[in-house]
Amino acid sequence: MNHGSGTANRDKIAAKLLEAGLIDASSLAKAQEAQKKDGGSLGSALVRTGAIDEATYTDFLGKVYNLPVLDLDKVDISMDCIDLVPGEVATKFQVLPISRRGRVMLIAMANPSNIFAIDDIKFITGLDVQPAVAGEMAIKKAIDKFYATTDSLASIMEGIEDDIEVVEESDDDDITGAEGQNAPVVKLVNTLLAEAVRMGASDIHIEPYEKNMRVRYRIDGILHEVMEPPIKLRNAIISRLKIMSELDIAERRVPQDGRIKLKIGDKKVDLRVSTLPCIFGEKVVMRILDKGNLNLDLADFGMEEKAIRDIYKSIAAPFGMVLVTGPTGSGKTTTLYSCLSKLNNPDLNIMTAEDPVEYNIDGINQVQVRDEVGLTFAAALKAFLRQDPNIVMVGEIRDLETGGIATKAALTGHLVLSTLHTNDAPSTVNRMIDMGIEPFLVASSTLLIMAQRLVRRICKNCKEELTLSDEALRDVGLEPGTPVFHGKGCEKCGGTGYAGRQGLYEVMPITPAIRELILDRASTTEIRHMARRDGMLTLREDGLIKVAKGVTTIEEVLRETAVAD
């Protein structure tokens, strides 16, 4: 009987949503299908499938049940009330005790029709219950924040903790012993790492503040807050991470760098760990290096055909220099690795100097730069030239010494690959001349310069066409009538409308005409005009092609690129 009334109640909510025009029949059917497959409430299925956003659904429930709607970020939550309701009860029913007035306790509920939850809480606390409505995701986040890890994390950890292990450098380290693995902090840290890998994050930020602590993941280039662990666990979490990365736990005054090797299920992942002393404790940032996500085929990068042909032609040359430019995190290293893997065969000696070595590639001799012992990029490059190399990759040209050696190496029979920090391909030429490298050396050694950026891809699950006026399309440089798309946000993309990233590429081969301009110390603008005449697409133009193909949005391209003069 109870089951029937629950179903009837669910049907009543669905009918009222349809009646109010907040969802349509097809999105309801899609949500019901998702609910059958994944479980959970109809409301969470509607939000997950993008039929309705959580705030709208929560407001709607408040009206239907005639109950107040709470924004959990703005209400004061009483720790005395939290102590009265056990964590497993809060997690089971997705409820959060808020405050108490006399014998009445205010409880935030994702599903206010759940009379079992209200009865259980009345029985456990001996108090009357006043329900209010709050979003399911907001309640989940608050449960993580206010309940100590042993209760709420037990449910999160199911199925994860058995699948994650630290691959130790030495066998005598006992930090993964049975006792250690059962500790709540170990479970919490394991969960944070496993979830970050599962969600495809590139970085994890763990940040201590005066009264709270937060964890953020960088997903598709954007930081998202995922959790606020209890502040009392601050030191324990940071110590656990320092133990895993073999850093000095007692040293909290200076930055430290380390590495963690993890096995999550069948996947091997490296994490580069950096600690930084801040006023309320050490901030930890971990870069996730997931070899499984490393795509080394340039043809899969979404480059235009002319760009790929130009790159393949330049890296097939017996000597000369190929430069990739762009800001930190724009995928330069991945592009260079892709070029090296294309060239990697037994009859070539390939050497790289990197800071740090991000991925290990069989058949390539990789050197970790260590400035503190004098092993700089320049020193490594000098040593390489005595090691009979065919191809040399220098992680970055930072100064005249490195640039000078790289240029001379490119002129004396070696193919040199490297990166610089400049805004676009044409400005790289004058950046090198400003460093002090003579124009004739730049002109005669450089084969190709490529600039790149990363933009977010539209989520394929919730992609829909936008209607823009011809004037708006012209303003951004698109032809009137060009179809443009965006993602409306769904459960698969976490409501962002984006999933994954796409490169934008500006590929400038050094043609005889450009070589003449370099020798004449021409301006960046003159070099750019000549390159465009030779068929180069600017970053903005390449981005607009990706917009017209429905790969990314106008906003992403405008955010990452500038108009060429």
Side-chain angles (χ1 to χ4, degrees), residues 128-191:
D128 287 331
V129 169
Q130 165 64 52
V133 185
E136 194 167 334
M137 292 310 293
I139 288 177
K140 277 188 172 134
K141 185 179 166 188
I143 288 171
D144 277 340
K145 179 179 174 181
F146 288 102
Y147 284 95
T149 54
T150 40
D151 290 327
S152 59
L153 280 169
S155 58
I156 303 173
M157 282 305 303
E158 280 174 25
I160 293 178
E161 58 185 298
D162 300 331
D163 267 356
I164 182 168
E165 62 177 279
V166 182
V167 182
E168 299 300 341
E169 296 297 332
S170 53
D171 295 332
D172 56 356
D173 237 43
D174 195 28
I175 63 170
T176 53
E179 194 181 323
Q181 283 289 21
N182 290 331
V185 169
V186 174
K187 288 185 177 184
L188 172 58
V189 169
N190 282 357
T191 303

Side-chain angles (χ1 to χ4, degrees), residues 144-265:
D144 277 340
K145 179 179 174 181
F146 288 102
Y147 284 95
T149 54
T150 40
D151 290 327
S152 59
L153 280 169
S155 58
I156 303 173
M157 282 305 303
E158 280 174 25
I160 293 178
E161 58 185 298
D162 300 331
D163 267 356
I164 182 168
E165 62 177 279
V166 182
V167 182
E168 299 300 341
E169 296 297 332
S170 53
D171 295 332
D172 56 356
D173 237 43
D174 195 28
I175 63 170
T176 53
E179 194 181 323
Q181 283 289 21
N182 290 331
V185 169
V186 174
K187 288 185 177 184
L188 172 58
V189 169
N190 282 357
T191 303
L192 290 176
L193 301 182
E195 277 294 286
V197 172
R198 186 186 66 75
M199 291 170 75
S202 60
D203 301 85
I204 306 169
H205 291 237
I206 296 173
E207 302 162 315
Y209 297 102
E210 186 175 12
K211 293 180 179 165
N212 66 320
M213 180 179 195
R214 72 174 175 184
V215 178
R216 296 189 290 172
Y217 293 162
R218 189 177 291 283
I219 300 169
D220 295 337
I222 307 291
L223 280 167
H224 301 271
E225 188 171 330
V226 292
M227 191 182 187
E228 281 195 21
I231 190 70
K232 61 187 176 185
L233 295 178
R234 177 178 61 197
N235 291 342
I237 289 169
I238 290 164
S239 294
R240 170 64 186 160
L241 288 166
K242 287 171 85 171
I243 288 170
M244 290 170 82
S245 41
E246 299 184 351
L247 300 177
D248 183 352
I249 300 181
E251 181 53 83
R252 295 178 180 177
R253 298 161 302 171
V254 295
Q256 296 186 63
D257 292 303
R259 221 178 170 110
I260 301 173
K261 285 182 185 289
L262 286 182
K263 193 170 176 211
I264 298 172

Side-chain angles (χ1 to χ4, degrees), residues 403-470:
I405 303 165
T407 307
K408 281 166 189 151
L411 290 170
T412 54
H414 308 91
L415 181 65
V416 178
L417 309 178
S418 192
T419 74
L420 270 98
H421 284 274
T422 55
N423 289 327
D424 57 12
S427 62
T428 306
V429 170
N430 285 320
R431 171 86 182 91
M432 291 173 74
I433 293 169
D434 290 344
M435 267 185 196
I437 303 167
E438 290 295 335
F440 75 90
L441 288 175
V442 176
S444 48
S445 65
T446 314
L447 297 168
L448 176 136
I449 302 171
M450 170 179 167
Q452 66 181 70
R453 296 288 186 281
L454 288 176
V455 291
R456 292 181 289 170
R457 283 175 164 270
I458 298 170
C459 170
K460 288 177 183 167
N461 191 52
C462 61
K463 179 176 174 179
E464 63 179 17
E465 193 167 341
L466 276 174
T467 307
L468 289 182
S469 68
D470 287 352

Side-chain angles (χ1 to χ4, degrees), residues 368-410:
Q368 167 79 50
V369 167
R370 293 190 187 280
D371 287 350
E372 67 273 16
V373 295
L375 183 53
T376 59
F377 280 123
L381 196 44
K382 277 180 188 165
F384 285 176
L385 298 178
R386 296 192 289 272
Q387 291 270 322
D388 184 33
N390 300 98
I391 298 164
V392 170
M393 178 183 120
V394 190
E396 191 184 335
I397 293 176
R398 292 178 184 166
D399 51 40
L400 173 60
E401 189 184 8
T402 313
I405 303 165
T407 307
K408 281 166 189 151

Side-chain angles (χ1 to χ4, degrees), residues 7 34 54 109 159 162 167 179 204 215 244 272 301 321 366 403 426 532 538:
T7 308
E54 187 163 66
M109 305 181 72
D162 300 331
V167 182
E179 194 181 323
I204 306 169
V215 178
M244 290 170 82
R272 216 169 65 219
F301 281 23
M321 187 154 59
Q366 294 169 279
R532 291 177 78 182
T538 65

